Amino acid sequence: MGKPLNKREREFLKPAIVHGWEIEISPFRKTALWDGDSLLPVRVGTMAESLIKRGYLERISMGFGRDIIRATEKAKNLRCYRCSYGRTIKNGQQAGPCPHCDGGIKPEGANH
């Protein structure tokens, strides 16, 4: 197994793992965007490339300079299904932080 994700990498992956968003890259825009939303710009740099090399993200070419970067199954397996975005639910209300994850992402190697 490779080196574990650090806090910055986990925060970068959170929208892709927890919300299922994809990074859209277009030659017509200066910045890449989460799910094509101009209010959610994202910088695709060395950290994103490192996560692609390590198998947490995959880059898919859509042609004409357009790419999509999305979470792989390896990354999706880190999602915690015991809570709602890192908060436990009790009687339909958010109760507190989930003891099984950090913001909706389980630690690597966790079997739950």
Side-chain angles (χ1 to χ4, degrees):
M1 191 168 146
K3 73 176 189 173
L5 294 169
N6 64 36
K7 185 144 181 84
R8 281 187 65 222
E9 291 168 334
R10 293 171 74 79
E11 286 300 315
F12 185 86
L13 284 172
K14 191 179 287 187
I17 294 172
V18 177
H19 302 294
W21 295 351
E22 298 174 341
I23 298 172
E24 296 180 12
I25 302 169
S26 171
F28 306 113
R29 287 189 301 258
K30 244 184 199 184
T31 58
L33 305 173
W34 280 112
D35 257 14
D37 190 335
S38 60
L39 296 175
L40 300 169
V42 61
R43 187 169 181 271
V44 178
T46 55
M47 183 170 30
E49 295 302 326
S50 169
L51 292 168
I52 290 170
K53 284 181 190 167
R54 290 164 49 201
Y56 291 99
L57 296 173
E58 63 183 342
R59 182 186 294 260
I60 300 165
S61 175
M62 305 300 284
F64 303 108
R66 294 181 59 233
D67 286 348
I68 288 178
I69 299 175
R70 65 181 182 191
T72 61
E73 285 302 313
K74 180 179 181 179
K76 290 176 186 176
N77 288 336
L78 295 176
R79 174 139 192 249
C80 179
Y81 289 98
R82 294 179 175 204
C83 64
S84 176
Y85 309 114
R87 308 291 291 178
T88 57
I89 305 296
K90 192 179 273 186
N91 299 328
Q93 300 289 323
Q94 288 188 353
C98 178
H100 306 285
C101 69
D102 177 27
I105 301 176
K106 299 183 293 189
E108 286 123 317
N111 293 329
H112 38 88

